[in-house]
Every structure is written in structure tokens, then in C-alpha cells.
Amino acid sequence: MSTTPRKTRTARRRTFGIAPALLLGWGLLGSAAPAAAQDFPSKPIKFVVPFPPGSGTDTSARYFARKLNELTGQPVVVENKPGANGFIAVKAVLAAPADGYTVFVGSNSTLAVNVALFRQLPYDPVADLAPLTMMMRSPALVVVPGNSEYKTLPALIAGAKARPGVLNYGAGSAGYQLMSELFNDAARVQTAHVPFKGAAEAVIAVVSGTVNFAFAEITSVQELARSGKVHALAVASDRRVPALPEVPTAAEAGLPGFTAYTWVAGMVSAKTPKAETEKLAALLTKIEKMPETREFYERIGAEVMQGGPEEMRNFQNAEIQLWKRIAVTARVEQQ
């Protein structure tokens, strides 16, 4: 016969009766995170672009935004935050909730070249940002005003050699600046840097004759070249591009071995949970592999880049080392 007081036995029964319910509640709480990841995305997504509308980066962001909307049914908004070498846009992404709903669509400038040009960056493109997917790459064009006296690349080089430091180039980002300095080094000339907030502004400066030349993406200048508002002297690629087949490569125009590409990729804050990062990466990589994506980029003179997060990170690290070396070779002083 038990000697335990009745009151105590009643309390125990109540405790044992409550315990399974508590365990069930804890189990539900524990399953909340995977459920949230499975439901992702369940609200609008924002793509933050560090350049104004009209740039190749903006074009890629808007294409991927449209396709992501088609895949998920969720609105995808493109927000342009140009200026300060991309710092404004990156800071906006890192300041937003790290939940996968804010995506940074960046370029070689913000994701690699800035490391070579600045002593102290307000962000670390590797440590602070997690890669999602590669998007595209595009060979740069050397363009001059439509009425420029320099009708060929050799003529531009000869003009720069005749007046060292007088001719100038427009650059809408750190990437274009370093491309231009690489050109200076390869052609053994000295030309002056004129900075702009974005690629579109630099192209406008070429059209108006404010600058003597600029490097620009085919995506942003091919119609201007066809209309004669700018004149394309060469494409910095190892082969001509179908969008402008009449434009010679740099090698064909007298500067062998000179190539320069811009590229675009998607990233999120490194603090974003792994499940959401992987889901978003899978969605964007699916878009990247679509036949219509390849066709879209071919129409505008670019090419789709294949690769998910791991390939993107390896490529980014290689690019950082490349531009560091070029900055030293071209004797570009860090800012």
C-alpha cells in the first residue's frame, strides 16, 4: 500500500498529463524553421542594383526578376541605388533583414575590382556576401563619339601618344576604370580618368563628346553604335560578337592579347539562413540554365555564365586576384 499522500499523487498525475502536450508544442516549434524555408519565398523580393537603369547589371536584374516572378508567383522589385562605387547599394543590402528577400545583383566592380582599388572597403565582398549564382558576362567595347576624329583603335592610340595625359576616358564604375587603365598599360599611353555614377552616364558623356572615349558593355551601347551616335573601335574579346559583327576584336584592331569583360552575379547577406540561401540559389540557377536565358543574352551581345554558389565563389576569388595584379601592373594608386 502506498504511503504517498493523496495530494502529492494528484500533483504527479497532473504533471505527467501535461508533459506530452508540452513535448508536442516543442516539436511544433522545432519544425517551424524548416517549414518556413519550404514556404520560401512567400512575399515580395527586392533586387538591389548598384548602378542606374540602363546598365548591363540593371538589364540582368530585370530579366532575372521577371523570370523569378514567373517561377514563384511573388513580385520581384528592382531597386537602383547608384553612387559611391557601389557602397550605397551594398550597405542597403547588408542593413536589410537577412532573410533572403533582399538580393544584391552586383558586377565585377562591386564584387571584385573594388578590393584592388580601395585600401579600406566598408564591406567585404567575400565575407559579407553569400553567392547565389552567376548571371552573365559581356565583353567591353571601346567607344568614341560618333563625330570623333579617331575612327580606328590605332588612331586613338596614336592621338593619346601625341598628347600624353590630355585625352580622357569616362568610367561609370571601378571596373571600367581598371579596364581603361589596363588599356593605357597595354597601349603604352596616358589618358585621364573622368568618373561617373554609372555606365549609362559615362555613355551619355561619350555621345555628347564630353569625354574622348570609354569602355562600355555591348548591352548598353549597341543601338547607339548602330545609329552612329557612338563609334565602336574594337571589342575587347577573343572573338567578334554577333550583335555587332562589323566591330573588330582588339587583336584585329592592333592590340593583341587585350581582353576585358564585365560580369554580373547574384548575392545575399552572408547572415541569411542556409535553407533560404540554398532555395534562392536553386531558383536563380534554374533561370540561368533556361534556353530562353541564353537566347536573351545572345540577342544583346552578352553570354550567360553557368554556375551556382560554389562556382560563383571560386570565380569571384580568382577575379579578385586578377584585378589586384592588374592594378599593380597598371600602377593604379589605391583610394
Coordinates of all heavy atoms in Angstrom, one line a residue, residues 10-28:
T10 N -1.8 13.3 -6.8 CA -2.6 14.1 -7.7 C -1.7 15.1 -8.5 O -1.9 15.2 -9.7 CB -3.7 14.9 -7.0 OG1 -4.5 14.0 -6.2 CG2 -4.6 15.7 -7.9
A11 N -0.8 15.7 -7.8 CA 0.1 16.7 -8.5 C 0.9 16.0 -9.5 O 1.2 16.5 -10.6 CB 1.0 17.3 -7.4
R12 N 1.4 14.7 -9.2 CA 2.2 14.0 -10.1 C 1.4 13.6 -11.4 O 1.9 13.7 -12.5 CB 2.8 12.7 -9.5 CG 3.9 12.9 -8.5 CD 4.4 11.6 -8.0 NE 5.5 11.9 -7.1 CZ 6.1 10.9 -6.4 NH1 5.7 9.7 -6.5 NH2 7.1 11.2 -5.6
R13 N 0.1 13.2 -11.1 CA -0.7 12.8 -12.3 C -0.9 14.0 -13.2 O -0.8 13.9 -14.4 CB -2.0 12.3 -11.8 CG -2.0 10.9 -11.3 CD -3.4 10.3 -11.3 NE -4.2 11.0 -10.3 CZ -4.3 10.7 -9.0 NH1 -3.6 9.7 -8.5 NH2 -5.2 11.4 -8.3
R14 N -1.1 15.2 -12.6 CA -1.2 16.4 -13.4 C 0.0 16.7 -14.2 O 0.0 17.1 -15.3 CB -1.6 17.6 -12.5 CG -3.0 17.5 -12.0 CD -3.3 18.6 -11.0 NE -4.7 18.6 -10.5 CZ -5.1 19.2 -9.5 NH1 -4.3 20.1 -8.8 NH2 -6.4 19.1 -9.1
T15 N 1.2 16.6 -13.5 CA 2.4 16.8 -14.2 C 2.7 15.9 -15.4 O 3.0 16.3 -16.5 CB 3.6 16.7 -13.2 OG1 3.4 17.6 -12.2 CG2 4.9 17.0 -13.9
F16 N 2.4 14.6 -15.2 CA 2.6 13.6 -16.3 C 1.6 13.9 -17.4 O 1.9 13.7 -18.6 CB 2.4 12.2 -15.7 CG 3.5 11.8 -14.7 CD1 3.2 10.9 -13.7 CD2 4.7 12.4 -14.8 CE1 4.2 10.6 -12.8 CE2 5.7 12.1 -13.9 CZ 5.4 11.2 -12.9
G17 N 0.4 14.3 -17.1 CA -0.6 14.6 -18.1 C -0.2 15.8 -19.0 O -0.5 15.8 -20.1
I18 N 0.4 16.8 -18.4 CA 0.8 18.0 -19.1 C 2.0 17.8 -20.0 O 2.1 18.3 -21.1 CB 1.1 19.2 -18.2 CG1 -0.2 19.6 -17.5 CG2 1.7 20.3 -18.8 CD1 -0.1 20.6 -16.4
A19 N 2.9 16.9 -19.6 CA 4.2 16.7 -20.3 C 4.1 16.4 -21.7 O 4.8 17.0 -22.6 CB 5.1 15.7 -19.6
P20 N 3.2 15.4 -22.2 CA 3.1 15.2 -23.6 C 2.7 16.4 -24.4 O 3.2 16.6 -25.5 CB 2.1 14.0 -23.6 CG 2.1 13.4 -22.3 CD 2.4 14.5 -21.3
A21 N 1.8 17.2 -23.9 CA 1.4 18.4 -24.6 C 2.5 19.3 -24.8 O 2.6 19.9 -25.8 CB 0.2 19.0 -23.8
L22 N 3.3 19.5 -23.7 CA 4.5 20.4 -23.8 C 5.5 19.9 -24.9 O 6.0 20.6 -25.7 CB 5.2 20.5 -22.5 CG 4.5 21.3 -21.4 CD1 5.2 21.2 -20.1 CD2 4.4 22.8 -21.8
L23 N 5.7 18.6 -24.9 CA 6.6 18.0 -25.8 C 6.1 18.2 -27.3 O 6.9 18.5 -28.2 CB 6.8 16.5 -25.6 CG 7.6 16.1 -24.3 CD1 7.5 14.6 -24.0 CD2 9.0 16.6 -24.4
L24 N 4.8 18.0 -27.4 CA 4.2 18.3 -28.8 C 4.4 19.7 -29.2 O 4.8 20.0 -30.3 CB 2.7 17.9 -28.7 CG 1.9 18.2 -30.0 CD1 2.5 17.3 -31.2 CD2 0.5 17.9 -29.8
G25 N 4.2 20.6 -28.2 CA 4.4 22.0 -28.6 C 5.8 22.4 -29.0 O 6.1 23.1 -29.9
W26 N 6.8 21.8 -28.2 CA 8.2 22.0 -28.5 C 8.5 21.4 -29.9 O 9.3 22.0 -30.7 CB 9.1 21.3 -27.5 CG 9.0 22.1 -26.1 CD1 8.6 23.3 -25.9 CD2 9.2 21.5 -24.9 NE1 8.6 23.6 -24.6 CE2 9.0 22.5 -23.9 CE3 9.5 20.2 -24.4 CZ2 9.1 22.2 -22.5 CZ3 9.6 20.0 -23.1 CH2 9.4 21.0 -22.1
G27 N 7.9 20.3 -30.2 CA 8.1 19.7 -31.5 C 7.7 20.6 -32.7 O 8.3 20.7 -33.7
L28 N 6.5 21.2 -32.4 CA 6.0 22.1 -33.4 C 6.9 23.3 -33.6 O 7.1 23.7 -34.7 CB 4.6 22.5 -33.1 CG 3.5 21.5 -33.2 CD1 2.2 22.0 -32.6 CD2 3.3 21.0 -34.6

